Amino acid sequence: MTSLYKTPVSSLNGIGEKRAALFARLGIKSVGDLINFYPRTYEDWSNIKHINELEYGETACIKAIVATSVNDTRISGGRIISKTAVYDDTGSIQLVFFNNKYISSMLRQGGEYFFYGKTSSDSYGMQMLSPTFAPAIKGTQIRPIYRQTAGLPSKSVESAVRQALSMLPSKINDPLPDAVRERFDLCPLRQALFDIHFPKNCQQLETARKRLVTEELVVLNLGMRNLRDHSRGVTSLKITKDYSEEFESLLPFTMTNAQKRAVSDCINDIINKSSPMNRLVQGDVGSGKTAVAASVCYTVAKNGFQTAFMAPTEILARQHYKTFQRLFENTDIKVGLLTGALKESEKKQIRKSLADGSIDMVIGTHALITDKTEFKNLALAVTDEQHRFGVAQRAKLLGKGNNPHLLVMSATPIPRTLGLIIFGDLDISIIDELPPSRKPVKTVLRTSAMRGGVYDFIRSEVKHGRQAYIVCPLVEEGELDDVASAEEYAADLMLREFPDIAVGIVHGQMKPDEKDEVMRKFAENEYSVLVATTVIEVGVDVPNATVIVIENAERFGLSQLHQLRGRVGRGSSQSYCILISDKGSRTTRERLEVMCSTNNGFVIADEDLKMRGPGDFFGHRQHGLPQMSIADFADTKSLELSQKIADYIMNRYGDIRNDEIRLLKAEIDRLFDRGGQNALN
Ligand code: ADP
Ligand code: MG
């Protein structure tokens, strides 16, 4: 198999340089690539329907005899419509083809064929429109459909794949050792490769798919573990003294036990272990991750080293900057801020102070990982809301120091099974406890007709000194000009609903210092109501806010709603989340009902993935994982199985470099090189 990756596709019959270039467009360079180019979907020709069983609008396969010769009719614009009737034992149906002058020469009167297509009807009865067809001789009955490109239709890919498969030696080395395959009931690779392309029935297809999906996820799984175990060597940083107790006296509250445990996990990593810390602190929104990070930063700084703390948004970076400044006010720790929005001269000044060591701790956005930023002695890299960063960015931040410690923090918008893989290269501390006296946020669903009541409610909360967010998703989605922009919405509110209440507005198109000013005023309760877009989605912390109203709630994913809801319920007062949606469809309501029924981030993430599928789930967020060729991140069962198998392999073979699994190691290297560079550099 390995040598087929070195055999160019142009070595196949009928593939010259021109064709090879078309294959390259699909990412196929070698015969091996072609074999791994799995069908995008299949047409099921195995499930033959009788003509009298066909229903209008369904896509189906029939086996029928051509009754009449094909009748071509020219219509306007020189186009051709070809019609013929076919029959089986149960009835007959008309076939209609558009603009294919060869149909009459391809279909022989009296010949029997499979026809696969969608049915419709006109005044003469049922028709099948432009079906694909093949002579009804024995053979493959489930037809593979490949991703295609201009000049290279699925059929051409199919015939190239047939040739490629015929080049497979009769015995191929299987990356999954027999012991593993037998134990987990996975078919041999050779069989899987044939059956994924040309299955004879659905069972064969399922068996093949299971094997290939599982292998790919196992490879991913082991690859991520490998990153953890072998990429980081020994640390030379001398952090010897634990200052976490001293740190606690700086806090205005007592840490929860879960927070204390997370801190001590980290301190233990950086003081007692020879390799650098690689730790994920995972805790639902509001669980107090910032204080945990601050404690670790404090110990690092007190030992004379620097920390870089990276946040995904400008607002969040600035908020953290203020929190840390306040926290370290009466200490000798110098805190700096470095974000893209600062003036060039300010950035220069901060960078200089980082390089000469006069700043102990810097908080910033992506600006931290540009080439220009250098540190004197970076010992700790922290990323907040890690799911917003790729593995690459995390690695880049680490590259700013000499093998520094890594602490990543994440609320859990990623389902557990996937999280295990994404964070598989990290040790995990879970904060499974909210600070005391927190009450679960009460969540309700309302229609816009009930908005008056919602505003009354906000007024009464404000009267009691509390604050509210109103989220409208409009300004950033410029295409939705049928709905008023956030600005108009806010203006309207101020004039009509809240003339005597201070309303602020913040959205993504504002200048950073404008945003900053608005957030400051809201944090200090100069504004009682903040109209915002999703810029407030992650991390923002104003404990006095007790209401969040989310307009057009149906436009958000559940995980995003959960993050938004996490902006309230951060203090000891009862908080409320009011989802407004007029979309009456059952699925929409069911989705939003999930929000009303639970405050558990894990449950919500799982539901979200189930309902929307992985593509939508991640949106433009990166998860930093390599591109999969067959596995689907929404497939929880396969993810779980792969995890089990990866555990088994590590137990049995000890090390990924074990010679018995060298083929598996080769697959890992291949997966992580293919668009997965981000995971390795
Ligand atoms: P997240 O985990 O979402 O990042 P934060 O770190 O922003 O949460 O903390 C949420 C709020 O809870 C902040 O206002 C913080 O000061 C407060 N907080 C954190 N830990 C505790 C605690 N142990 N007791 C009381 N309040 C706490
Ligand atoms: Mg946070």
Side-chain angles (χ1 to χ4, degrees):
M1 185 81 200
T2 341
S3 67
L4 292 183
Y5 289 115
K6 297 193 186 105
T7 314
V9 279
S10 56
S11 65
L12 297 175
N13 290 336
I15 300 185
E17 247 171 62
K18 254 194 179 155
R19 282 245 133 162
L22 294 178
F23 274 100
R25 250 196 256 161
L26 295 172
I28 302 168
K29 298 210 171 76
S30 66
V31 172
D33 292 341
L34 192 53
I35 291 174
N36 282 320
F37 190 73
Y38 305 129
R40 175 174 63 78
T41 180
Y42 300 83
E43 285 176 357
D44 185 359
W45 293 37
S46 66
N47 182 10
I48 310 278
K49 281 214 153 179
H50 289 131
I51 289 177
N52 70 352
E53 293 168 341
L54 291 174
E55 282 167 41
Y56 289 114
E58 78 169 327
T59 301
C61 186
I62 56 173
K63 185 179 175 188
I65 295 168
V66 179
T68 59
S69 61
V70 176
N71 175 17
D72 289 343
T73 318
R74 285 198 178 269
I75 57 167
S76 63
R79 288 173 300 161
I80 306 173
I81 293 186
S82 314
K83 293 186 179 175
T84 186
V86 299
Y87 65 93
D88 66 7
D89 293 344
T90 67
S92 72
I93 185 172
Q94 172 136 269
L95 307 183
V96 182
F97 299 87
F98 302 97
N99 276 326
N100 189 339
K101 57 185 177 198
Y102 301 110
I103 291 294
S104 52
S105 61
M106 290 158 81
L107 285 178
R108 188 175 52 83
Q109 188 178 356
E112 191 176 23
Y113 300 83
F114 292 117
F115 296 98
Y116 182 90
K118 191 166 179 178
T119 61
S120 91
S121 69
D122 72 358
S123 47
Y124 298 106
M126 182 114 70
Q127 304 177 324
M128 192 176 260
L129 300 181
S130 302
T132 42
F133 56 87
I137 42 172
K138 274 197 202 138
T140 307
Q141 294 183 333
I142 296 182
R143 315 255 327 182
I145 306 294
Y146 294 91
R147 195 149 60 77
Q148 47 192 26
T149 180
L152 192 63
S154 172
K155 271 212 145 144
S156 309
V157 178
E158 180 185 331
S159 66
V161 169
R162 271 187 207 282
Q163 264 195 69
L165 283 173
S166 72
M167 292 170 74
L168 273 180
S170 59
K171 256 199 85 169
I172 55 175
N173 295 321
D174 197 322
L176 292 181
D178 291 350
V180 174
R181 279 197 307 98
E182 276 154 30
R183 189 183 173 95
F184 295 96
D185 192 24
L186 299 168
C187 75
L189 178 60
R190 192 168 195 282
Q191 178 190 337
L193 291 175
F194 274 90
D195 291 352
I196 197 74
H197 290 287
F198 304 110
K200 298 226 164 41
N201 53 48
C202 295
Q203 252 139 5
Q204 281 192 350
L205 177 58
E206 262 331 289
T207 307
R209 202 204 305 267
K210 178 180 169 198
R211 144 79 208 217
L212 294 171
V213 165
T214 309
E215 176 185 321
E216 188 165 41
L217 291 174
V218 167
V219 165
L220 175 66
N221 227 303
L222 291 173
M224 295 301 286
R225 292 177 197 217
N226 188 41
L227 281 183
R228 166 180 57 186
D229 296 341
H230 293 281
S231 60
R232 311 265 328 259
V234 171
T235 175
S236 54
L237 303 162
K238 294 267 173 298
I239 296 176
T240 49
K241 193 154 181 276
D242 173 5
Y243 288 87
S244 57
E245 254 185 64
E246 185 176 304
F247 170 81
E248 280 195 50
S249 65
L250 303 175
L251 284 173
F253 48 76
T254 319
M255 280 199 173
T256 62
N257 286 328
Q259 283 171 311
K260 285 183 188 164
R261 269 199 308 274
V263 170
S264 86
D265 287 346
C266 295
I267 299 289
N268 183 37
D269 285 350
I270 60 179
I271 293 184
N272 296 329
K273 299 221 171 126
S274 61
S275 55
M277 167 166 79
N278 265 323
R279 185 165 292 276
L280 165 68
V281 170
Q282 199 171 47
D284 211 342
V285 281
S287 59
K289 295 181 288 289
T290 317
V292 171
S295 174
V296 185
C297 297
Y298 187 75
T299 286
V300 166
K302 280 292 187 180
N303 278 274
F305 290 95
Q306 289 173 302
T307 293
F309 186 120
M310 187 159 72
T313 66
E314 182 93 23
I315 286 182
L316 190 50
R318 283 170 187 256
Q319 175 189 289
H320 281 323
Y321 173 62
K322 284 192 189 128
T323 306
F324 281 94
Q325 259 190 330
R326 209 174 309 128
L327 209 51
F328 296 147
E329 202 166 40
N330 300 316
T331 71
D332 50 359
I333 295 172
K334 293 271 169 318
V335 185
L337 174 73
L338 180 58
T339 66
L342 294 179
K343 291 198 199 84
E344 259 331 298
S345 57
E346 294 170 311
K347 285 189 226 173
K348 223 168 159 180
Q349 182 53 43
I350 296 284
R351 289 196 167 112
K352 186 169 156 292
S353 312
L354 287 173
D356 69 21
S358 49
I359 285 181
D360 301 294
M361 156 164 205
V362 66
I363 293 153
T365 52
H366 297 81
L368 287 177
I369 53 178
T370 58
D371 292 338
K372 288 186 213 147
T373 312
E374 283 170 27
F375 291 82
K376 180 167 177 239
N377 61 358
L378 180 69
L380 173 65
V382 183
T383 57
D384 192 17
E385 308 291 351
Q386 169 62 39
H387 62 282
R388 290 295 194 94
F389 299 104
V391 180
Q393 289 164 321
R394 188 165 91 197
K396 211 150 182 199
L397 187 58
L398 286 178
K400 295 291 175 191
N402 180 16
N403 227 351
H405 299 287
L406 171 69
L407 175 60
V408 310
M409 297 190 293
S410 188
T412 48
I414 292 173
R416 215 180 313 239
T417 41
L418 188 54
L420 276 175
I421 294 190
I422 295 185
F423 300 128
D425 60 331
L426 301 171
D427 299 308
I428 303 184
S429 300
I430 294 179
I431 309 186
D432 53 3
E433 185 183 356
L434 292 177
S437 74
R438 288 278 175 83
K439 299 182 185 75
V441 178
K442 283 191 179 148
T443 304
V444 294
L445 185 54
R446 297 283 182 262
T447 61
S448 55
M450 297 150 101
R451 218 183 251 122
V454 173
Y455 291 149
D456 288 342
F457 182 67
I458 291 177
R459 270 187 286 271
S460 94
E461 285 292 292
V462 168
K463 206 178 271 162
H464 289 96
R466 313 230 203 283
Q467 292 164 275
Y469 296 96
I470 301 182
V471 178
C472 47
L474 312 176
V475 161
E476 272 147 335
E477 302 182 11
E479 76 281 6
L480 299 165
D481 46 15
D482 58 326
V483 241
S485 73
E487 268 153 354
E488 282 171 36
Y489 184 103
D492 203 50
L493 269 185
M494 285 185 245
L495 285 175
R496 277 180 226 237
E497 297 293 336
F498 304 133
D500 48 354
I501 289 178
V503 178
I505 168 161
V506 64
H507 60 70
Q509 258 119 67
M510 286 164 70
K511 293 212 188 75
D513 47 353
E514 291 171 350
K515 281 189 225 170
D516 201 28
E517 180 62 9
V518 174
M519 292 312 294
R520 182 191 64 74
K521 284 188 170 166
F522 188 63
E524 288 167 13
N525 204 354
E526 286 179 38
Y527 290 133
S528 300
V529 173
L530 183 65
V531 175
T533 57
T534 52
V535 292
I536 59 151
E537 179 184 341
V538 286
V540 171
D541 182 47
V542 179
N544 190 49
T546 52
V547 185
I548 184 163
V549 176
I550 304 175
E551 294 276 357
N552 301 116
E554 75 281 350
R555 287 198 202 154
F556 297 96
L558 291 184
S559 294
Q560 205 179 358
L561 288 173
H562 183 63
Q563 285 282 330
L564 284 167
R565 177 168 63 182
R567 298 314 110 220
V568 299
R570 298 185 149 245
S572 55
S573 315
Q574 177 64 54
S575 291
Y576 305 87
C577 171
I578 303 169
L579 306 174
I580 298 188
S581 174
D582 291 335
K583 284 276 152 52
S585 89
R586 214 182 79 207
T587 40
T588 304
R589 299 212 84 78
E590 272 173 12
R591 224 158 56 78
L592 296 176
E593 292 293 344
V594 173
M595 292 301 298
C596 303
S597 66
T598 181
N599 273 283
N600 183 326
F602 281 119
V603 175
I604 288 169
D606 280 335
E607 284 295 324
D608 201 13
L609 192 57
K610 234 189 294 172
M611 291 178 179
R612 300 200 302 158
D616 294 336
F617 178 78
F618 287 112
H620 5 248
R621 292 173 191 177
Q622 298 182 42
H623 47 73
L625 291 175
Q627 182 70 40
M628 297 284 103
S629 53
I630 189 167
D632 174 348
F633 291 135
D635 178 356
T636 313
K637 254 170 86 182
S638 301
L639 284 167
E640 277 167 3
L641 179 63
S642 75
Q643 187 76 4
K644 253 208 296 230
I645 297 177
D647 286 344
Y648 177 81
I649 289 175
M650 289 322 282
N651 263 331
R652 189 177 165 115
Y653 301 96
D655 187 315
I656 192 67
R657 280 158 190 75
N658 185 327
D659 197 50
E660 284 181 72
I661 49 171
R662 62 181 186 286
L663 291 172
L664 208 47
K665 174 72 169 63
E667 291 298 316
I668 293 173
D669 294 343
R670 242 164 36 78
L671 180 67
F672 280 81
D673 288 340
R674 180 216 317 165
Q677 298 93 335
N678 48 6
L680 288 180
N681 60 27

